[in-house]
Amino acid sequence: MKIATYNVNGVNGRLPVLLKWLKEAQPDVVCLQELKAPQEKFPLEAINDAGYNALWHGQKSWNGVAILAHNIEIKEVGRGLPGDEEDLQSRYIEAMVNDVLICCLYLPNGNPAPGPKFDYKLKWFERLKARSAELLKFNIPVVLAGDFNVMPTELDVYKPERWVKDALFRPETREAFHSLVAQGWTDALRKLYPDERIYTFWDYFRNAYGRDAGLRIDHFLLSPKLEGRLKSAGVDRHVRGWEKTSDHAPVWIEIE
């Protein structure tokens, strides 16, 4: 089963890019982030025509997450990250696909830091860790996939010295990610490529993609039931070079 995660940066504006990539890559399951579309504006017909079922949690102008499955039934488990009933941002959705629990997430950016947005990011991380600990107790195959907005190590960021005060690279953010992984999760790309410089995001400014000045902020975390079933993983970085494309590239794994 090929599972992908892709921050599309606007599902309607980037729809031609998304459909072109789906046809080319043919993933079985896709987690999308940053839909930037209210619930009723999700392009379901086009997604269905491409052969995919869809489950989505939209939000006007910002955020939004979705799970797509190619001719496979999707069974919704929940939407919204537990732990704060007042949090109305559409950043999290869970569904069963082929007996695997897929958790699609879009973690807050947190800038400027320090400040209220950074506080929200860290609190969201704590809620995610609480939920992920619950999921591990179920002893089932679970995938946490999405845009985590964190570069875990210096290997995951071009010129790390320039990012030390950024919310995506501050020590508190990296510590939150590492403590999440320490619960028993496997960072899929790092398991297969422990020493390689891998990026999943390149800014639109200063020719970042052309200079390969990127960040690795889109991740797959696998529960113990899946660690031994990981076959391959990669980044479709060429998609970042397409016209009118997202500033992220699709990331994928294959599991037995």
Side-chain angles (χ1 to χ4, degrees), residues 43-202:
L44 181 60
E45 185 176 351
I47 297 295
N48 288 163
D49 288 346
Y52 287 83
N53 298 317
L55 190 69
W56 68 98
H57 186 23
Q59 184 172 347
K60 185 179 180 180
S61 301
W62 309 103
N63 307 321
V65 287
I67 298 174
L68 316 183
H70 189 246
N71 295 323
I72 311 171
E73 184 182 6
I74 308 174
K75 298 178 183 178
E76 181 173 336
V77 175
R79 58 180 59 206
L81 187 64
D84 184 356
E85 293 182 356
E86 295 182 2
D87 184 5
L88 302 178
Q89 296 192 26
S90 301
R91 294 183 174 273
Y92 187 83
I93 195 166
E94 294 178 354
M96 291 296 298
V97 184
N98 262 6
D99 298 321
V100 176
L101 181 61
I102 306 292
C103 307
C104 175
L105 63 95
Y106 176 42
L107 210 134
N109 177 288
N111 280 306
K117 291 185 176 181
F118 188 59
D119 294 341
Y120 173 63
K121 180 189 186 92
L122 296 181
K123 288 176 182 175
W124 208 95
F125 240 130
E126 290 303 315
R127 289 161 54 202
L128 178 62
K129 285 192 286 184
R131 180 57 180 163
S132 61
E134 288 180 347
L135 297 177
L136 289 176
K137 292 177 182 177
F138 296 143
N139 198 30
I140 61 172
V142 184
V143 176
L144 298 180
D147 179 356
F148 282 72
N149 267 318
V150 52
M151 296 88 79
T153 71
E154 291 194 352
L155 197 58
D156 302 310
V157 51
Y158 173 80
K159 294 195 174 179
E161 68 276 6
R162 295 185 179 179
W163 290 83
V164 289
K165 294 183 179 181
D166 192 278
L168 280 67
F169 199 56
R170 287 178 68 95
E172 304 97 315
T173 305
R174 286 186 281 164
E175 172 55 32
F177 183 86
H178 293 314
S179 62
L180 170 63
V181 174
Q183 291 178 342
W185 300 92
T186 296
D187 181 340
L189 264 72
R190 276 291 163 241
K191 178 177 172 63
L192 295 180
Y193 306 104
D195 303 313
E196 286 193 31
R197 191 169 289 280
I198 300 171
Y199 300 140
T200 66
F201 167 93
W202 296 262

